[in-house]
Amino acid sequence: MKLNCIENIRKKEKDSFLYYRSEYLADAVFEYGKDSKQEKIPIEIAIEKTALGETKTNVKIIGHINYPMLNATKMLKEEILKIQSEGKFI
């Protein structure tokens, strides 16, 4: 299984006064199997700046996927860090 992309990234609408935490909704597109079947899964992303200036990223997969959750979460976090370094999160 591989992660094709994270698409449809949008900021989560909520009344929060925490300027150091941003939450997003998105869709992760995974590809798996010999037939290269694609599966689109909704995800929630939380990016938080700590007091020490570090960035913590949390990913929550909403629903069921046809792959071990730990490996999928690891792939998602790596892709999110890449997207974040490109400045695509507002």
Side-chain angles (χ1 to χ4, degrees):
M1 176 178 215
K2 72 175 189 172
L3 175 64
N4 278 352
C5 65
I6 297 175
E7 60 186 20
N8 197 18
I9 300 170
R10 60 214 178 270
K11 192 155 182 136
K12 196 172 182 181
E13 295 295 326
K14 71 173 198 167
D15 295 328
S16 176
F17 299 105
L18 301 176
Y19 64 90
Y20 56 87
R21 182 178 172 91
S22 298
E23 294 181 345
Y24 301 89
L25 298 171
D27 295 318
V29 180
F30 289 100
E31 186 178 306
Y32 64 94
K34 292 179 183 177
D35 300 333
S36 297
K37 293 181 183 178
Q38 289 194 353
E39 182 176 29
K40 186 184 283 192
I41 304 294
I43 60 172
E44 290 182 5
I45 303 165
I47 300 173
E48 184 174 338
K49 289 282 190 181
T50 67
L52 299 174
E54 298 173 339
T55 302
K56 289 191 174 186
T57 305
N58 292 315
V59 179
K60 181 179 177 183
I61 298 173
I62 303 168
H64 175 75
I65 60 171
N66 294 316
Y67 196 71
M69 190 72 76
L70 187 60
N71 293 342
T73 303
K74 183 180 176 186
M75 284 189 280
L76 286 168
K77 283 186 177 185
E78 290 172 359
E79 184 68 16
I80 288 166
L81 290 174
K82 180 181 152 198
I83 292 170
Q84 186 180 10
S85 69
E86 295 170 357
K88 293 185 180 178
F89 287 108
I90 300 170

